[in-house]
Amino acid sequence: MTATADNPLLSPFPEGWYFVASRQALEKSANLIRKTWMGEEIIVWCDDNSGVCVANAYCPHLGADLGPDVGGCVRDGRLVCPFHGFEYDTGGQCVATPFGPAPKAARLRVYETREIAGLIFAWWGIEGRAPQWHLPAGEPDQTGWSRHHIWISRFPGHPQETTENSVDLAHLTHVHGYDSVSRVDPLEIEGHFLRSRFDFATTRKVAKIARLKLSVEANALIYGLGYSYVEVREVTIGLDMRLWILATPVDGTHIDLTVVSQTGPLLKPDRRIAGLAFLPQRLRPPIINRFMAYFEKRDVLQDVPIWSAKQYRPRPRLSRSEGEIGQYRAYCAQFYSDTSATADCDTTVADQAAAN
Ligand code: FES
Ligand SMILES: [Fe+2]
């Protein structure tokens, strides 16, 4: 896709908190992961006390790649460079070398991190500036909840476009086949925070035999373009789920869309579900979570071809009922240093409302 006067490209790296890795994946990778994130080569690693460090992947000494493929490793809670053996702590400071005192100036270029429910995020600031706001405080209660199911899809895309789906209710019927989609409250926008609440109904086929009619309340809590957290309640069964939808720019063209789902305890279902009564209570959340994750994946795969091939429309030609998209675009402007691509959207909506 190329930029034109009508179709300026959005800057690929809007400011915010972006997913880096799960604690689970980090532990599976001998506590050190190297990846491309926000157009940068980075490493993510942790020490023996669960301290996490996200840093530029090249050693400040003589520039060696610190990733595990080249020989970087975590030893005794320190990151060890494969070239001359400089050792770093999770603050990024060089604390030892094999042949002399650690140079004070040898410091990794680190990113501010935050961990929520075993999901590790790092702050990406305009021109490297410090965090301007924070992800929600506290940890969601895990009592009786299933483990996370995590699924990652990489495709050409942009986090503003994927997050826009939370306010674009029209596509829920057209792309995903949901029924009775209705907005519950007006969008709530406060600084970097946006809430979108809506209800819908959907029918899920279970193992080609049963049809499960679901009536869902969704409460999408959005903290910038890299962190969408959706509280989902199926009201006829009384089932709670959590979804994290985490869009992370990779290289300026592709994004990684990480979908994390978790299902809550189901002690006394409000309605009978075939087979469920035979399952011990502790097995219900993980099994239901697998089903739900399967459907989430199906929904995302319905969106991916559209996201991958679409053009960004800075002046979308909206219908009168879609004012939320203009509000959303105005909210997004705060995450860019150059707001020209997003700033005139709400005027466009206002113009159109007047013209309709
Ligand atoms: S380049 Fe890393 S210790 Fe020399
Ligand atoms: Fe969608």
Side-chain angles (χ1 to χ4, degrees):
M1 189 163 61
T2 49
T4 65
D6 284 345
N7 278 311
L9 289 179
L10 286 170
S11 157
F13 307 119
E15 184 167 77
W17 291 92
Y18 290 93
F19 181 65
V20 180
S22 69
R23 172 71 65 169
Q24 208 182 346
L26 192 52
E27 285 168 2
K28 268 194 193 156
S29 310
N31 296 335
L32 175 61
I33 290 175
R34 185 198 189 286
K35 64 193 299 186
T36 308
W37 175 88
M38 306 299 288
E40 296 273 331
E41 300 306 312
I42 62 159
I43 47 163
V44 192
W45 65 281
C46 65
D47 64 20
D48 301 338
N49 303 315
S50 298
V52 171
C53 177
V54 175
N56 178 270
Y58 298 100
C59 181
H61 178 224
L62 281 169
D65 188 318
L66 296 160
D69 288 352
V70 185
C73 66
V74 178
R75 200 171 58 215
D76 299 329
R78 290 175 179 171
L79 176 74
V80 184
C81 177
F83 201 3
H84 309 92
F86 280 27
E87 297 179 19
Y88 296 91
D89 67 14
T90 48
Q93 183 62 51
C94 178
V95 288
T97 80
F99 47 78
K104 269 214 173 83
R107 274 187 68 79
L108 302 173
R109 187 151 60 81
V110 297
Y111 296 89
E112 191 100 11
T113 60
R114 171 74 202 281
E115 185 168 347
I116 298 177
L119 305 169
I120 300 164
F121 299 86
W123 169 258
W124 173 265
I126 292 169
E127 291 170 8
R129 67 181 178 175
Q132 305 293 300
W133 42 273
H134 291 278
L135 292 176
E139 285 278 320
D141 180 16
Q142 299 293 329
T143 316
W145 285 72
S146 71
R147 288 165 65 100
H148 292 156
H149 181 283
I150 301 180
W151 176 68
I152 304 176
S153 176
R154 178 170 292 186
F155 53 88
H158 191 284
Q160 180 177 319
E161 299 273 53
T162 53
T163 306
E164 192 166 273
N165 270 30
S166 293
V167 301
D168 172 9
L169 301 195
H171 97 284
L172 296 176
T173 306
H174 202 74
V175 176
H176 304 302
Y178 296 174
D179 298 320
S180 320
V181 179
S182 65
R183 177 160 295 292
V184 175
D185 292 324
L187 288 191
E188 184 186 330
I189 298 178
E190 212 182 313
H192 61 276
F193 172 71
L194 182 149
R195 181 203 304 265
S196 175
R197 290 185 64 197
F198 52 93
D199 294 346
F200 62 89
T202 180
T203 303
R204 304 296 197 188
K205 267 195 205 157
V206 182
K208 291 186 187 158
I209 37 168
R211 286 177 153 266
L212 203 54
K213 275 203 137 196
L214 303 175
S215 187
V216 178
E217 293 174 355
N219 182 21
L221 308 164
I222 293 165
Y223 294 81
L225 304 182
Y227 187 95
S228 294
Y229 173 66
V230 191
E231 294 170 341
V232 178
R233 182 163 181 80
E234 202 296 320
V235 290
T236 64
I237 304 169
L239 176 69
D240 288 305
M241 285 190 65
R242 297 172 180 148
L243 280 178
W244 283 265
I245 302 173
L246 310 170
T248 305
V250 178
D251 53 7
T253 303
H254 296 87
I255 62 170
D256 279 343
L257 192 72
T258 304
V259 182
V260 183
S261 59
Q262 191 176 28
T263 297
L266 188 59
L267 302 179
K268 282 192 180 163
D270 295 340
R271 105 179 188 222
R272 201 182 154 274
I273 308 172
L276 198 66
F278 299 107
L279 277 178
Q281 275 178 12
R282 72 186 166 79
L283 290 184
R284 290 175 185 176
I287 288 176
I288 297 172
N289 200 46
R290 271 188 175 257
F291 268 112
M292 293 306 182
Y294 167 82
F295 292 122
E296 271 312 311
K297 183 174 175 180
R298 192 206 63 167
D299 280 3
V300 170
L301 289 176
Q302 288 171 334
D303 286 318
V304 165
I306 294 174
W307 284 326
S308 303
K310 82 188 291 295
Q311 279 191 328
Y312 175 65
R313 285 274 183 258
R315 297 175 143 267
R317 302 298 189 240
L318 301 170
S319 88
R320 195 192 290 236
S321 61
E322 293 177 300
E324 287 87 4
I325 290 183
Q327 285 177 269
Y328 169 75
R329 297 283 184 96
Y331 160 80
C332 291
Q334 66 184 299
F335 306 119
Y336 300 90
S337 53
D338 169 12
T339 56
S340 58
T342 50
D344 57 359
C345 297
D346 50 347
T347 347
T348 311
V349 176
D351 288 352
Q352 282 177 328
N356 281 343

